[in-house]
Amino acid sequence: MGIVTRDLTEITVVGDDDTGLIAEVTSLLFERSINIEDLDQAVREGVFRMTMRVDTSGMVTTEEKLREDLTELGDALGVDVQVRFPADRETQTIAVLVTKESHCLEALFEAWANGDLGADIEVVIGNHDDLEPLAAKYDVPFHDIGDEKGTPDEDQLLDLLAQYDADLIALARYMRILSPDVVFRYESRIINVHPSLLPAFPGASAYMQAIEEGVRIAGVTAHYVTTDLDQGPIITQRAFNVPDDATEEELQQIGQPLEAEALIEAIKLHLDDEVNVHRGRTKLRDPEETSAQLGAPEKLDQLNPDRPIDGLGEFVAEDDELEADD
């Protein structure tokens, strides 16, 4: 993922991998005097994705005509093309994906109701219907896309995400892996929270993994979603001590409030455009202008010792002083 800039237009192309796709799209842009500032492409499981960030300020066409031309080209090439102009991102909306755990969704709703979220929750989509009453309490549409085993219908998911046109997709303990067909369409716009200090203990049952490995410190991680499971760029993390002989349920009780906190912090940073991703690592655009807690509290740094560190500097300096006195 490259650096996201709100002044640039974002173009995403997703479909079956085929030769000539990049040339066709870039040629169309060149003909309309559109400068490509950033281009990234990948193929996973036969699905092609190209994400471009382009400068449309001097283009010799209208936004409506460019969107129409790209859609027609996509239809001809058999790919899906999405265009997001800077003005399209002025109103912030969120789609939340859930399974059965309520704590993150509840925290998101509370932050929204208090005016602390910075965006509107437009829809909740689940692979089970357990959390429908919670969505109904806040008068938010709920869609169950799972079968009796909870297997989600990703075609229906994509239709809903397109229908609600969310700026951000929040995985509030959504216990299913998103396919490249979904991830590629929403590159840099999906945030997940995982119950471990990634990269340790990815995948299922992370708290139990922590217990089995005997760690003294565990935690939670909010990160951007990529096609590699639990390996996307990390945004925020929270840590906690693991009590002796703790059960998985006890770790969940400690970790779940931190999961909600880390997820909401990450969402706010994204929506406020305060964080970007460069070479797989997130960075604050202006660290001095935000009070966000990305990792452990600052007071932890004050508790940690600052010496000794590798090297013989002090020892050599003392020796030199003794020789000079002699």
Side-chain angles (χ1 to χ4, degrees), residues 261-297:
E261 181 180 286
L263 178 61
I264 290 175
E265 184 89 84
I267 287 172
K268 288 180 179 179
L269 287 169
H270 174 90
L271 293 174
D272 292 341
D273 197 29
E274 292 185 7
V275 64
N276 62 37
V277 180
H278 184 59
R279 295 181 178 176
R281 181 179 177 86
T282 59
K283 292 185 178 181
L284 291 174
R285 294 187 186 279
D286 194 346
E288 296 182 357
E289 294 297 322
T290 180
S291 59
Q293 180 188 331
L294 299 187

Side-chain angles (χ1 to χ4, degrees), residues 222-274:
H223 65 96
Y224 284 112
V225 173
T226 65
T227 53
D228 296 313
L229 178 63
D230 293 332
Q231 295 183 43
I234 291 169
I235 309 172
T236 57
Q237 293 186 301
R238 300 289 187 271
F240 59 87
N241 290 317
V242 178
D244 289 338
D245 302 319
T247 66
E248 183 178 21
E249 182 179 359
E250 288 170 341
L251 286 197
Q252 288 174 342
Q253 291 174 353
I254 298 172
Q256 285 179 351
L258 295 176
E259 292 171 25
E261 181 180 286
L263 178 61
I264 290 175
E265 184 89 84
I267 287 172
K268 288 180 179 179
L269 287 169
H270 174 90
L271 293 174
D272 292 341
D273 197 29
E274 292 185 7

Side-chain angles (χ1 to χ4, degrees), residues 35-109:
N35 187 48
I36 299 172
E37 300 288 344
D38 182 61
L39 187 153
D40 183 49
Q41 59 91 24
V43 177
R44 182 61 60 90
E45 298 177 15
V47 179
F48 168 83
R49 184 269 302 163
M50 176 170 63
T51 303
M52 291 181 291
R53 295 174 180 89
V54 304
D55 184 358
T56 53
S57 60
M59 65 181 180
V60 290
T61 186
T62 64
E63 291 185 359
E64 181 180 356
K65 186 65 168 65
L66 176 62
R67 197 189 301 271
E68 179 183 324
D69 291 345
L70 284 169
T71 300
E72 290 180 358
L73 177 61
D75 291 342
L77 297 174
V79 296
D80 178 49
V81 182
Q82 297 180 9
V83 185
R84 300 179 77 225
F85 293 102
D88 296 337
R89 304 192 295 276
E90 291 178 356
T91 302
Q92 308 272 24
T93 58
I94 301 174
V96 185
L97 272 58
V98 299
T99 296
K100 294 184 176 183
E101 297 182 20
S102 64
H103 56 286
C104 284
L105 179 60
E106 183 178 1
L108 284 169
F109 276 142

Side-chain angles (χ1 to χ4, degrees), residues 196-214:
S196 81
L197 290 174
L198 292 174
F201 314 135
S205 303
Y207 288 136
M208 181 55 70
Q209 290 184 63
I211 292 171
E212 291 172 346
E213 293 297 328

